[in-house]
Amino acid sequence: MAGRSWRPALFVTGVSVATPLATLELAFGLTEAAGYRATASLPDIIAALEKPTAVTPTIVLPAVLLIIASVSATIGWAGGVWALVTHSVTGRPVALKDAYRYGLSRLRSLWPWTLAATLLFLAGLHAYVAPGIYLLFALSMFSFTVLFELGRHPLVHSFALTHRRLGRALVRWGTLAAVTIAFEAALSLAFATLSVVLLGYPGYGAQAHGIASTLIDTVHTAVGAPTWALLVVGLSVTHADLHNSERT
């Protein structure tokens, strides 16, 4: 399946996930450059709640941008998985509009679970990182449960799938994580080098270096589509393997 169908997955995730996220990267940078904070840490949020006049710029704007990002990513993820599976089954090209239509049709059911899983992951990261990495592994199958296994609790079933044959799941998930991290690290190094050549410093975000670095980060995010394709293909294959092993 992966060998036959990685191209449509790359195309759909590139257009449906990487491009919207790159646009939001640009929006974050332009917002910061205009003097408005587009990101907020947990201490900032707590401090803002104590001062109602600070709530809007500190919480509302980052929340709106993050909601847009999560909705775009949810639609693109569902569309990418559908494109991969559909092409592997039928062998026919997948139209982008059909992938978008499928993603939109699953938005209402998938987005709340995506939000719940993200909040759990972030809570785990705040608990000294390791719990966050564990939750990222344990919850990595939830979207496939929402899309293909109706009637099951996505988070609970994801835990069950990843833990029933823990060694098998860890090998597949760990291999995928290593390949994805290596690819993204190489990409980050390339863009850091480009930033040094063009700007004289390794720019990492608009907060530190302004519009020029924002543009470089935006292009970095846009060309990171293969990262999403790797995740779509790798997790789809992992889910299929774990789901089949569940029956034996």
Side-chain angles (χ1 to χ4, degrees):
M1 180 179 73
R4 291 195 308 269
S5 306
W6 65 268
R7 289 180 180 85
L10 174 61
F11 178 71
V12 172
T13 52
V15 175
S16 302
V17 180
T19 301
L21 291 180
T23 303
L24 286 164
E25 182 88 42
L26 182 61
F28 273 108
L30 294 177
T31 300
E32 294 280 352
Y36 299 97
R37 297 193 63 181
T39 58
S41 64
L42 185 59
D44 291 335
I45 293 173
I46 294 174
L49 291 174
E50 296 174 353
K51 299 177 181 179
T53 56
V55 168
T56 299
T58 304
I59 297 178
V60 175
L61 182 58
V64 168
L65 291 175
L66 288 174
I67 287 172
I68 294 172
S70 64
V71 168
S72 299
T74 299
I75 294 172
W77 180 265
V81 171
W82 178 85
L84 177 70
V85 174
T86 300
H87 185 272
S88 68
V89 172
T90 66
R92 294 194 297 268
V94 176
L96 181 61
K97 64 177 181 180
D98 293 333
Y100 259 113
R101 187 178 297 117
Y102 178 85
L104 283 169
S105 71
R106 294 296 184 268
L107 178 62
R108 180 182 294 181
S109 57
L110 183 57
W111 185 77
W113 291 112
T114 301
L115 182 61
T118 301
L119 291 175
L120 285 173
F121 167 64
L122 292 176
L125 282 182
H126 277 88
Y128 302 105
V129 181
I133 297 174
Y134 166 72
L135 287 171
L136 186 63
F137 162 73
L139 299 175
S140 59
M141 298 292 109
F142 83 91
S143 62
F144 302 98
T145 302
V146 175
L147 297 176
F148 303 126
E149 301 179 62
L150 302 180
R152 296 194 179 193
H153 191 289
L155 304 186
V156 172
H157 188 54
S158 181
F159 268 86
L161 277 178
T162 52
H163 287 71
R164 184 170 287 113
R165 295 197 174 182
L166 183 61
R168 190 186 192 109
L170 282 173
V171 168
R172 287 189 172 275
W173 194 89
T175 302
L176 174 61
V179 172
T180 303
I181 291 171
F183 176 81
E184 183 56 36
L187 197 62
S188 297
L189 179 61
F191 275 89
T193 303
L194 178 64
S195 179
V196 170
V197 171
L198 296 179
L199 306 178
Y201 48 75
Y204 293 102
Q207 292 179 352
H209 301 301
I211 296 296
S213 290
T214 295
L215 295 176
I216 291 177
D217 288 345
T218 299
V219 176
H220 179 182
T221 303
V223 301
T227 302
W228 292 97
L230 279 171
L231 291 173
V232 166
V233 172
L235 290 178
S236 294
V237 172
T238 300
H239 174 263
D241 180 51
L242 295 176
H243 180 67
N244 288 335
S245 68
E246 187 181 32
R247 298 177 178 179
T248 61

